[in-house]
Amino acid sequence: MPTALLLLALICLCRPAVSLAETAEELAAATLVVFNENDPDSEPLARFYAQKRGIAKERVVGLRCSAAEEISRTEYEDNIAGPLRQILTKNEWWKLRGYESPLGRAESNSIRFVALIRGIPLKISASPGWPGDVPSGPPPINQHNEASVDSELTVLGVHSKGLSGVLNNPYFRSFSRIREARLPAVMLVCRLDGPTPEMVRQMITDSIASEQEGLRGFACIDARGIKEGNYAEGDGWLNAAAVDARKRGTPVILDNGEGLFPNGYPLREASLYFGWYAEHVGGPFARPDFRFRRGAVAAHIHSFSAATVRDPKRHWVGPLLAAGAVATFGSVYEPYLTLTPHIDVFHERLRAGFTFAEAGWMSQRGLSWMTTFVGDPLYRPFQREMELKDAPQDEWSAYATGAKLWLENQEKGATALRASAKRLKSGMIMEGLGLLWLSSNNQAGAIAAFGEARRLYKNRDDIARTAIHEIIQLQALKRIPDALVLTRNQLGAAPDAPAAEVFLMFQNQMDPPPPPSVPPPAAPAPAR
């Protein structure tokens, strides 16, 4: 184990109790904002973010570096890492020990969060034969010295001489605020980046507004139904996140099929999305008319999901931001599955009230590696989880109250949810009840709830979505005639809706069209 790796492993032995009462002023005082002086949009965005978050002007610093997304290792060391070390030392924001100290270089560090602003490069290309590079860890991990800029900067205070391989993350699975975690060598780095400067501004304003309102909506989770093998780990994360979301009163749409949600799937009101495994954006997220709820957090696992964050149509990070998500993450190069963010840990920590940066880096096993977290590092969408009352007037609060009761006693919870749906005329509450019944394999209960949801909903896409839920369950129960009637009714009601392609797929599965007739062969021409 290299020295830096050993030091990081030793430091994590201290785990003080978490305090969720951290103020906005305390977070702002622990944040450094970094922009690129060579990008004309970067400094205005940095000033805008600092003003919105109350970050002192002196903690907004500029670097002169390339504006490209990918840079060389030399450019990183000369134009980003070196200057930042000088800035941190000059301003006495950190205190360093000697290089050979057995306790590590960083003795103290007042900078806990770093916000990289659009214009700062995204990733560092591979550097074969880099002087002094001492590979560590097993192959093939130890054969890689490429990395995200963000992940390299998390360990700026470690001064590791080895590049190839990965450093153990002492903050992985922590449950302590970073300001309380006694990890001066680690800073939590996120970037405010995206396809356009305007989108970045919107991410900032939407994040702050969502904190004040509380983030509500459906959790849309796209697993693959993998039970064994190397990829089962990823499916385990997604299914665990679904269970956790249900426990916290969020209605969960869970797909355990091999493919993505279909392009025409009528998804609305999504506040959370986690899925895998396609190289480029697909399903409803690729449609121009799709929008997440304000403040949404969304991510898709793929080896190159963040190969660029500036293209609104390629890979996943850029397209998810273009669709209205304010926080996401991905890999800039091949990370290997276990060294991507563990989505179950990320979701649980975010719901517990930690910041986006804290939840993100708590879910990441390795540092000096491939991950980038894109969003406001201080974003706390669930800091103030809804205060549930006996008879809340808001349908999302009413659903959360009833869902938590359902998890304790299904009969009492279902009665409460039906009463709330009737009182509030809420299709969402009944759809949520149907999804709860599905989670306990009660298909009959689910079908009844989805049918009631269709009658309460007014929006055609909401009606179509609950009909899709219902048709799938009817098919599973071999009630094909009933499923076919519902399918044809939906096609007749909205033949031009995006969901029509899903209903046509169902119809062709249950009632395949006859094969095209083949004309008889032409008679042979008479001999002459």
Side-chain angles (χ1 to χ4, degrees), residues 430-452:
M430 289 308 299
E431 182 181 2
L433 175 58
L435 294 169
L436 286 171
W437 286 129
L438 283 187
S439 72
S440 66
N441 297 316
N442 184 335
Q443 292 169 308
I447 289 170
F450 293 143
E452 183 60 25

Side-chain angles (χ1 to χ4, degrees), residues 512-523:
S517 59
V518 179

Side-chain angles (χ1 to χ4, degrees), residues 205-241:
T205 55
D206 283 354
S207 296
I208 294 171
S210 184
E211 286 180 341
Q212 296 167 351
E213 300 165 357
L215 182 58
R216 309 177 188 191
F218 286 99
C220 180
I221 298 181
D222 197 352
R224 297 170 63 194
I226 300 173
K227 303 298 183 184
E228 56 186 23
N230 294 336
Y231 289 101
E233 181 180 21
D235 245 36
W237 300 340
L238 292 165
N239 282 283

Side-chain angles (χ1 to χ4, degrees), residues 14-226:
C14 299
R15 287 184 55 177
V18 65
S19 168
L20 297 182
E22 203 163 24
T23 67
E25 291 76 17
E26 288 172 324
L27 291 173
T31 303
L32 183 67
V33 183
V34 183
F35 67 89
N36 186 354
E37 294 179 0
N38 292 329
D39 185 317
D41 295 312
S42 194
E43 183 174 0
L45 285 173
R47 302 293 177 193
F48 178 77
Y49 173 66
Q51 184 269 324
K52 290 293 184 182
R53 282 296 187 190
I55 298 168
K57 293 180 180 179
E58 59 268 20
R59 297 220 172 192
V60 180
V61 301
L63 304 176
R64 294 180 180 178
C65 55
S66 170
E69 284 193 288
E70 186 174 58
I71 57 174
S72 68
R73 176 64 60 173
T74 299
E75 289 177 292
Y76 169 75
E77 293 292 343
D78 292 350
N79 301 327
I80 297 178
L84 271 181
R85 287 191 184 104
Q86 292 175 7
I87 290 169
L88 288 162
T89 301
K90 178 182 177 181
N91 289 282
E92 299 182 343
W93 290 333
W94 70 7
K95 183 177 180 181
L96 299 180
R97 303 183 182 94
Y99 275 97
E100 303 305 323
S101 171
L103 298 176
R105 287 228 69 197
E107 180 178 347
S108 62
N109 192 345
S110 66
I111 301 301
R112 306 284 70 214
F113 303 94
V114 179
L116 304 179
I117 302 299
R118 188 180 193 275
I120 294 292
L122 172 69
K123 56 187 180 179
I124 307 162
S125 61
S127 304
W130 183 260
D133 186 7
V134 181
S136 63
I141 290 171
N142 66 1
Q143 299 167 11
H144 296 276
N145 65 15
E146 64 268 37
S148 76
V149 168
D150 316 28
S151 191
E152 286 287 30
L153 288 177
T154 61
V155 289
L156 187 68
V158 173
H159 286 263
S160 173
K161 295 181 180 179
L163 294 179
S164 296
V166 63
L167 293 180
N168 201 35
N169 179 8
Y171 201 50
F172 179 54
R173 292 190 178 276
S174 172
F175 209 84
S176 296
R177 293 290 190 195
I178 189 61
R179 293 176 65 246
E180 302 166 345
R182 302 179 189 177
L183 296 172
V186 175
M187 297 183 292
L188 306 186
V189 182
C190 296
R191 65 176 48 243
L192 285 158
D193 208 335
T196 67
E198 292 73 26
M199 284 186 191
V200 176
R201 285 179 179 265
Q202 195 66 52
M203 289 164 61
I204 296 166
T205 55
D206 283 354
S207 296
I208 294 171
S210 184
E211 286 180 341
Q212 296 167 351
E213 300 165 357
L215 182 58
R216 309 177 188 191
F218 286 99
C220 180
I221 298 181
D222 197 352
R224 297 170 63 194
I226 300 173

Side-chain angles (χ1 to χ4, degrees), residues 197-371:
E198 292 73 26
M199 284 186 191
V200 176
R201 285 179 179 265
Q202 195 66 52
M203 289 164 61
I204 296 166
T205 55
D206 283 354
S207 296
I208 294 171
S210 184
E211 286 180 341
Q212 296 167 351
E213 300 165 357
L215 182 58
R216 309 177 188 191
F218 286 99
C220 180
I221 298 181
D222 197 352
R224 297 170 63 194
I226 300 173
K227 303 298 183 184
E228 56 186 23
N230 294 336
Y231 289 101
E233 181 180 21
D235 245 36
W237 300 340
L238 292 165
N239 282 283
V243 170
D244 189 45
R246 286 191 203 101
K247 289 179 178 178
R248 295 174 185 276
T250 298
V252 178
I253 299 173
L254 173 63
D255 178 12
N256 259 313
E258 176 62 25
L260 301 178
F261 283 95
N263 290 343
Y265 188 79
L267 182 62
R268 295 181 70 248
E269 306 292 342
S271 61
L272 294 169
Y273 164 71
F274 302 114
W276 71 331
Y277 186 77
E279 182 175 3
H280 297 292
V281 65
F285 312 106
R287 293 206 317 263
D289 64 333
F290 175 79
R291 295 295 293 175
F292 285 104
R293 280 181 69 93
R294 182 161 68 174
V297 180
H300 187 93
I301 301 174
H302 187 271
S303 296
F304 304 101
S305 53
T308 174
V309 302
R310 307 244 179 109
D311 192 322
K313 296 183 178 180
R314 289 178 57 80
H315 302 292
W316 282 89
V317 166
L320 291 174
L321 296 172
V326 304
T328 183
F329 50 81
S331 302
V332 299
Y333 303 110
E334 173 59 64
Y336 304 103
L337 179 60
T338 197
L339 290 172
T340 61
H342 293 206
I343 284 175
D344 55 341
V345 178
F346 172 77
H347 178 268
E348 194 274 340
R349 300 305 194 271
L350 197 69
R351 297 302 292 260
F354 289 99
T355 66
F356 173 58
E358 289 167 327
W361 290 108
M362 286 171 175
S363 72
Q364 176 64 41
R365 185 186 296 275
L367 303 177
S368 184
W369 198 238
M370 313 301 182
T371 300

